[in-house]
Amino acid sequence: AQTVTQSQPEMSVQEAETVTLSCTYDTSESDYYLFWYKQPPSRQMILVIRQEAYKQQNATENRFSVNFQKAAKSFSLKISDSQLGDAAMYFCAYRNRFMEYGNKLVFGAGTILRVKS
Amino acid sequence: DAGITQSPRHKVTETGTPVTLRCHQTENHRYMYWYRQDPGHGLRLIHYSYGVKDTDKGEVSDGYSVSRSKTEDFLLTLESATSSQTSVYFCAIGQASNYGYTFGSGTRLTVV
C-alpha cells in the first residue's frame, strides 16, 4: 500500500518570504500523480498544484512550485512571496495513475503553515 | 465546492444512535469517496464507490456502511455511533480522466 509522510507538523514564514513544505511517499508503482491541497480555516479542500510522475519538469502555479525527486520519492512544495492568505493546513497526496477501481487519493498527515506579518 | 454538497454541516449525536451523512453531486462523476479527517492523521478513506451500487471499503471502514442507489447520491451511515467517530467527514467526487478530486465542505460530527 502507498503511504505519504509529512514530517513537519507546523511551519512558520514571514510575509513576503519563501517557505518549503516537505513530503515523501512510498510506492512500488512507476506511474502516479502527486498533489498538494490547501485547507484554510473554512475547512474547504483546495487543489494547489499537481505533478504527473512521468513528467520530469516540476509543476508551477504562480507563486507555488514543486521539487519532484522521483528516485528519492520526494515531493516538496515551495511557496514564494508568502501572503497572509497562504496560512492554512497543507496536505500532500498521492494517487496511482492506473487503477481498476477508485483512483483513491492517499493523504499525508498535513502541515500547518502560519504566516507572520 | 460547486457541484457537490454535504449535509448536514454540523451534527451532534448520542453514543449508540445511527447517523446518516449525505453527499450529493451534480457533476455526474463516476467515483465518490468518504474520508474522515482527524488531527495527526490527515484524511483517511472510509469507503468509496465506483458506480451505482458498486462500493468498496477503505482503510478505516469498521463501524461504517455506505449506499449508492443513484449516481448523484452517496450516503455514509454510522450504524451505532461511538465517541471515536467524532470527526470531520468529507465527501469527494472524481473521474478517471481527472487528476484530482473535488471535495465537499465537510460535516463536523460530534458523538457525545
Side-chain angles (χ1 to χ4, degrees), chain B residues 1 6 21 46 57 61 68-69 82 89 107 109:
Chain B
D1 198 44
Q6 288 185 235
L21 308 183
I46 304 171
K57 297 178 179 180
S61 60
R68 192 172 180 195
S69 59
T82 68
Y89 291 86
T107 296
L109 177 68

XYZ file of all heavy atoms in Angstrom, chain B residues 1 6 21 46 57 61 68-69 82 89 107 109:
99
model
N -17.797 23.019 -2.522
C -17.415 23.383 -3.881
C -18.606 23.210 -4.808
O -19.496 22.440 -4.534
C -16.244 22.506 -4.335
C -15.522 23.097 -5.513
O -15.271 24.314 -5.495
O -15.219 22.365 -6.449
N -22.697 18.514 0.899
C -22.803 17.577 2.001
C -23.823 18.088 2.988
O -23.930 19.299 3.219
C -21.457 17.439 2.727
C -20.409 16.682 1.971
C -19.149 16.495 2.800
O -18.067 16.868 2.371
N -19.279 15.895 3.976
N -24.968 10.489 6.916
C -24.486 11.698 6.265
C -24.725 11.557 4.761
O -24.552 10.467 4.197
C -22.990 11.905 6.542
C -22.558 11.869 8.009
C -21.061 12.155 8.106
C -23.362 12.831 8.850
N -12.719 6.047 4.106
C -13.648 5.159 4.807
C -14.235 4.140 3.826
O -14.121 2.935 3.998
C -14.785 5.969 5.456
C -14.222 7.049 6.386
C -15.720 5.037 6.241
C -15.275 8.025 6.884
N -14.503 -0.979 0.528
C -14.000 -0.441 1.782
C -12.704 0.302 1.591
O -11.891 -0.025 0.730
C -13.776 -1.591 2.774
C -15.038 -2.328 3.159
C -14.709 -3.475 4.112
C -15.975 -4.217 4.522
N -15.668 -5.342 5.444
N -12.884 1.451 7.607
C -14.291 1.193 7.309
C -15.090 0.600 8.467
O -16.329 0.598 8.415
C -14.395 0.268 6.098
O -13.754 -0.963 6.371
N -25.156 3.613 -2.455
C -25.251 4.491 -3.612
C -26.289 3.915 -4.563
O -25.997 3.045 -5.372
C -23.893 4.626 -4.317
C -23.886 5.746 -5.348
C -22.508 5.968 -5.869
N -22.475 7.029 -6.867
C -21.450 7.222 -7.676
N -20.384 6.428 -7.604
N -21.477 8.207 -8.552
N -27.494 4.428 -4.461
C -28.600 3.950 -5.283
C -28.783 4.792 -6.542
O -29.460 4.367 -7.485
C -29.896 3.941 -4.473
O -30.180 5.252 -3.997
N -20.067 5.946 17.963
C -19.199 5.899 19.137
C -18.388 7.187 19.201
O -18.237 7.901 18.199
C -18.242 4.699 19.073
O -17.309 4.912 18.011
C -18.982 3.401 18.838
N -16.020 14.804 8.448
C -16.213 13.869 7.341
C -16.308 14.637 6.030
O -17.067 15.593 5.908
C -17.481 13.048 7.564
C -17.345 12.089 8.709
C -17.603 12.495 10.015
C -16.927 10.780 8.497
C -17.452 11.621 11.089
C -16.779 9.901 9.549
C -17.041 10.327 10.835
O -16.879 9.458 11.883
N -18.557 17.683 7.017
C -19.537 17.587 8.108
C -18.776 17.361 9.395
O -18.008 16.406 9.496
C -20.510 16.416 7.886
O -21.289 16.642 6.715
C -21.422 16.244 9.104
N -18.978 16.054 12.864
C -19.832 15.176 13.667
C -19.241 15.018 15.055
O -18.056 14.681 15.197
C -19.956 13.801 13.006
C -20.758 12.759 13.787
C -22.229 13.149 13.839
C -20.593 11.373 13.186
